[in-house]
Amino acid sequence: MAGKKKSPGVTPPPYHHGDLRQALVQAAVSILEEEGLAALSLRAVARRAGVSHAAPYHHFQDKEALLDAVAAEGFRLQMLDMHNAAQNAAAPINGLQAFGLSYASFARKHPSLFRLMYTHERFTPGTSPELVQWSGAIYPQIIAGVRERTGCSEEEASSIALVLWSTMHGLAMLALDNQLSWPGAKPLDTLAFEVTELLGRVMPERKSPP
Amino acid sequence: MAGKKKSPGVTPPPYHHGDLRQALVQAAVSILEEEGLAALSLRAVARRAGVSHAAPYHHFQDKEALLDAVAAEGFRLQMLDMHNAAQNAAAPINGLQAFGLSYASFARKHPSLFRLMYTHERFTPGTSPELVQWSGAIYPQIIAGVRERTGCSEEEASSIALVLWSTMHGLAMLALDNQLSWPGAKPLDTLAFEVTELLGRVMPERKSPP
DNA sequence: ACCTGAACACCGTTCAAGT
DNA sequence: ACCTGAACACCGTTCAAGT
């Protein structure tokens, strides 16, 4: 019961609510995970954060700006995932497969967030720098991963990374659309595994065999 | 001034309006092409078709059902495109490239329609049979295209077709998201050309060289 | 058989007013 | 500096009523 007065030496909470901006982003993410994209209205986000429906306008210019922040958070999460996959890439046969499986599993674990990240007609001039930065980090990360595992030049690695990214992205998108769900179809993980194996054949040799 | 009375020998127009159902689908397509996905409301569609905002409910159960019909029309158009590309595949180096370029150019020519087709969380049980049929025709068409140009078994062709489809789909999606638009980036057509060329290396030999 | 107009609950956005 | 409540225009959906 020490009370909740501002304790000295701690930076005071920057807003009335605590940090409403961040709370709104988190509320939006929960709605996405629990109820899907269709349920993601500004008013629902405000409701879940426990503020009036007009409150978000003190932190975001409009709904699109909030969605931008949510998408940026999504890209941050995906970067974490990719990073972890690169670390734990002991089991898969090659690094491409580690990446492919991580991409597929992220899409499967966060389908609505994944859709929001890649699907709204965003990335116009005027998109928040935060989103531009986080979303722009994905491709370089893939390129770096490819270079680490091959003796590729920067240019060669860029081409391979683009094929790899496109393929996994398309596979994930089609799977989320249920386009790959005919009777007896293989699950996304299996497809990702097989497809990256096939792609491995166009890759140059590993830089240094173990 | 022969009047517009029903002429004998011609099937009478099935609805008051002419064929309102089809008119609504066409109105929706125009809105998509001219104003984009965000402008596609049921009421706007009705407005453009010149009927009251409640009229669509006599032809579609709800908005989702109308969007399903629009998506089905999109898949029909894409099938036509793919078919034409297969016919005129004289210039490109191989059949994969003909397909890849057609996929990319369709996405570029109809960005909002393409997004609607592949991006809404549709294809649940209860999706209209019309949409299931048209959307389900794409993958077999790609498989057939691959088989025609190679001596592949059905199973082998399915794998190659899946990689091809995923890759082109991902490339198109990422391009529409402006994810492939860094300064000095190549246009989508060029990327599609290069990527399919790279994929060609994993393809078996052509069945019969010219 | 097909269409309309009024009605309802919801949404995005604005703005004067509150602390 | 931050938040609220009322207001406005818009949307999806329903339904009695019109032809």
Side-chain angles (χ1 to χ4, degrees), chain A residues 40-64:
Chain A
L40 188 64
S41 71
L42 242 190
R43 291 170 98 113
V45 171
R47 236 177 277 133
R48 187 173 284 235
V51 294
S52 84
H53 62 260
Y57 286 90
H58 294 276
H59 302 271
F60 299 99
Q61 208 189 9
D62 53 17
K63 188 189 183 184
E64 200 60 22

Side-chain angles (χ1 to χ4, degrees), chain B residues 68-91:
Chain B
D68 277 11
V70 175
E73 170 68 6
F75 281 112
R76 218 200 85 233
L77 292 174
Q78 195 185 12
M79 283 289 284
L80 277 179
D81 236 55
M82 284 174 55
H83 189 75
N84 290 339
Q87 305 291 56
N88 310 336

Side-chain angles (χ1 to χ4, degrees), chain A residues 147-204:
Chain A
R147 292 204 73 180
E148 252 172 50
R149 286 164 239 277
T150 67
C152 284
S153 69
E154 174 77 25
E155 197 184 316
E156 209 174 1
S158 300
S159 299
I160 293 169
L162 183 60
V163 178
L164 184 55
W165 189 19
S166 297
T167 308
M168 289 318 305
H169 188 69
L171 203 59
M173 279 292 191
L174 291 173
L176 290 188
D177 271 340
N178 287 90
Q179 290 271 20
L180 308 180
S181 309
W182 51 86
K186 296 167 185 166
L188 178 57
D189 301 33
T190 307
L191 293 177
F193 191 84
E194 294 177 357
V195 157
T196 45
E197 197 282 324
L198 213 154
L199 282 183
R201 300 192 206 158
V202 299
M203 291 260 301

Side-chain angles (χ1 to χ4, degrees), chain B residues 9-41:
Chain B
V10 172
T11 51
Y15 303 107
H16 200 174
H17 179 95
D19 185 353
L20 182 52
R21 187 183 207 274
Q22 191 52 29
L24 289 167
V25 170
Q26 289 310 319
V29 171
S30 333
I31 292 177
L32 276 179
E33 314 270 76
E34 292 167 27
E35 307 174 50
L37 237 174
L40 188 64
S41 71

